[in-house]
Amino acid sequence: MAQYGNYKGYQGASRLQDGKARATHVDDERLKVIAGRVDLQGMDILDVGCNTGYITVQAALSYNAKSVTGIDIDEDLLDHARSHLSFRYSRLCPTLTAPHMNLLQDAYLSQSAPPKARRDRVNYFPISSVQRHGHLPYAQHVAGRQDSQDGNKEREGVIPSFPLNVTFKKEDWGAFSLHEEMTHNSRVMVPKEEYNVILALSVIKWLHLEHGDNGLHTFFDNCHRALRHNGHLVIEIQTYDSYSKAVRNKKAPHLKLNLENLHVKPEDFDAILEKKGLRLVETYTALPREIKIYQKLE
C-alpha cells in the first residue's frame, strides 16, 4: 500500500538523472551531492521517511557517520530497512566484522581512499553468497554496544560502529510536536539538539498531504528543535504540481480533500524556515529535483 507515499524503494531510480535503476550498493547521487556540501563524517544524522533504508545505511557505511537514525511511519518498510542493514553488513570484508573493529578507523573506507578499494571492502562477498548462506548475525560481534534496533546509545565511552550505529524507528514528525508528551508507540520524545544533519528526501510532499499546512509547520519546528547549532536540514523539493499527481481516490481519498485545503506551497518554504531559524545556504539544481540545504543559525 502507498497511502502515505510509502512505496517500497521510493527513494530510488526515478530521482536519478538517467532514471535507471541502481543496485543497492551503488551510492545515491543525491547523497553524493549532499556529502560534497555538508560534512557527514562523524555526524549524527536523521533520515526522515527512510523507506527501505538505502539512504540511511549508505550514510553510515559510505560516509562514515557517527550515527544514522531512519524514521518512517510504515513498520513493514522498517522491517525491510533492518533486513537491508543486515544484508549490507553481511557483504563486508571479514576484517571489518571482527570484534572491536570500527569502520571509522579503516583507511580503505575513508573518503580519500580509492573508490575501487572502498567497493572491494564493503562488497567483499557476492550477493549470491549472502542469498545462499544467509545474513551474518552482528550483535555479538561488537562488544560494548547495543543492538541497532534497540538504539545506538554509547556505553563506556565507546562509539558504536557499523552496523550498530544505525537505528530504525517508527515515528511521524508531522503528527506531533517534540515539545509534547508522547503516549502512542510511534510518537516518542526526541532530545533537543540531537542531530547534526536531518535529511528529508522524497518525503515532504507526502507529509504535507497527510498532515496539511499545520503538520508541515510542526515538522519544520521539530527539525529546528532537533538540530544542533549550525546543523543542516536538507530537503529534496517536490514541486506543487506533483501533489495533484500523487492524489489517487482509490488509494488514499482523504489526500484529495487535504490537497484542497493546502495554502503553503514549496516556494514558500524558504521564508517559513527563515522565520523558524533555518536559513537557506545552498540550492543544487543539477538533479531532477532541487536539493535545498538550510542551516540552523541560532
Side-chain angles (χ1 to χ4, degrees):
M1 183 179 71
Q3 178 176 341
Y4 307 105
N6 50 338
Y7 304 98
K8 183 180 177 182
Y10 182 66
Q11 292 186 336
S14 63
R15 308 287 77 80
L16 305 178
Q17 285 181 308
D18 57 15
K20 295 181 180 179
R22 296 290 191 270
T24 58
H25 61 271
V26 177
D27 283 353
D28 189 285
E29 292 180 26
R30 296 166 302 170
L31 205 53
K32 292 179 182 178
V33 167
I34 295 166
R37 291 156 176 78
V38 176
D39 189 10
L40 302 181
Q41 183 167 343
M43 300 298 171
D44 294 306
I45 300 172
L46 176 71
D47 181 16
V48 180
C50 65
N51 201 271
T52 49
Y54 293 170
I55 293 290
T56 315
V57 174
Q58 282 182 19
L61 182 57
S62 298
Y63 297 92
N64 298 334
K66 177 183 176 182
S67 72
V68 190
T69 302
I71 62 173
D72 206 286
I73 62 175
D74 189 321
E75 192 62 55
D76 289 338
L77 288 178
L78 291 171
D79 286 341
H80 282 290
R82 296 182 183 109
S83 177
H84 177 66
L85 173 65
S86 175
F87 169 76
R88 292 302 305 273
Y89 176 74
S90 299
R91 295 194 65 194
L92 292 177
C93 176
T95 58
L96 299 178
T97 60
H100 309 295
M101 182 61 195
N102 192 322
L103 270 64
L104 290 174
Q105 300 170 349
D106 188 278
Y108 290 98
L109 295 185
S110 69
Q111 292 300 301
S112 60
K116 186 178 184 303
R118 289 177 56 84
R119 290 196 299 269
D120 290 347
R121 299 284 275 179
V122 299
N123 303 313
Y124 183 87
F125 290 107
I127 294 174
S128 59
S129 175
V130 180
Q131 291 174 334
R132 180 177 181 181
H133 300 288
H135 292 197
L136 181 67
Y138 54 77
Q140 66 271 30
H141 284 262
V142 188
R145 302 177 176 98
Q146 290 185 336
D147 181 79
S148 64
Q149 296 184 20
D150 297 325
N152 52 9
K153 297 179 181 178
E154 300 175 16
R155 294 195 291 179
E156 300 178 357
V158 177
I159 297 175
S161 180
F162 186 85
L164 302 186
N165 61 341
V166 179
T167 306
F168 292 104
K169 300 178 180 180
K170 183 179 180 181
E171 292 184 8
D172 186 349
W173 277 30
F176 67 95
S177 169
L178 300 183
H179 295 273
E180 299 172 359
E181 291 294 330
M182 301 304 142
T183 57
H184 192 274
N185 61 2
S186 67
R187 301 180 179 185
V188 295
M189 286 293 291
V190 176
K192 187 177 181 180
E193 299 181 352
E194 177 79 359
Y195 302 105
N196 302 102
V197 181
I198 296 178
L199 304 176
L201 308 180
S202 297
V203 69
I204 293 294
K205 170 176 68 179
W206 299 104
L207 185 150
H208 197 185
L209 282 170
E210 180 63 29
H211 298 298
D213 292 342
N214 288 338
L216 182 69
H217 278 279
T218 296
F219 173 72
F220 288 156
D221 287 336
N222 288 339
C223 289
H224 180 270
R225 176 176 172 81
L227 276 174
R228 294 176 181 142
H229 179 66
N230 288 330
H232 293 89
L233 169 64
V234 182
I235 296 179
E236 182 182 18
I237 299 297
Q238 294 158 290
T239 57
Y240 195 73
D241 64 335
S242 71
Y243 281 48
S244 58
K245 296 176 183 178
V247 173
R248 301 178 182 179
N249 290 333
K250 293 183 179 180
K251 289 289 185 180
H254 69 289
L255 296 185
K256 183 177 182 180
L257 178 61
N258 291 354
L259 177 61
E260 294 172 354
N261 293 320
L262 295 184
H263 299 287
V264 175
K265 296 185 178 181
E267 51 265 34
D268 302 323
F269 291 178
D270 295 354
I272 292 172
L273 287 166
E274 177 81 21
K275 290 180 180 179
K276 296 181 184 296
L278 292 164
R279 179 171 300 171
L280 179 67
V281 293
E282 186 164 356
T283 300
Y284 185 84
T285 61
L287 293 178
R289 290 177 176 169
E290 286 186 344
I291 292 179
K292 292 195 172 188
I293 301 174
Y294 303 86
Q295 187 172 28
K296 182 176 179 178
L297 301 178
E298 56 183 54

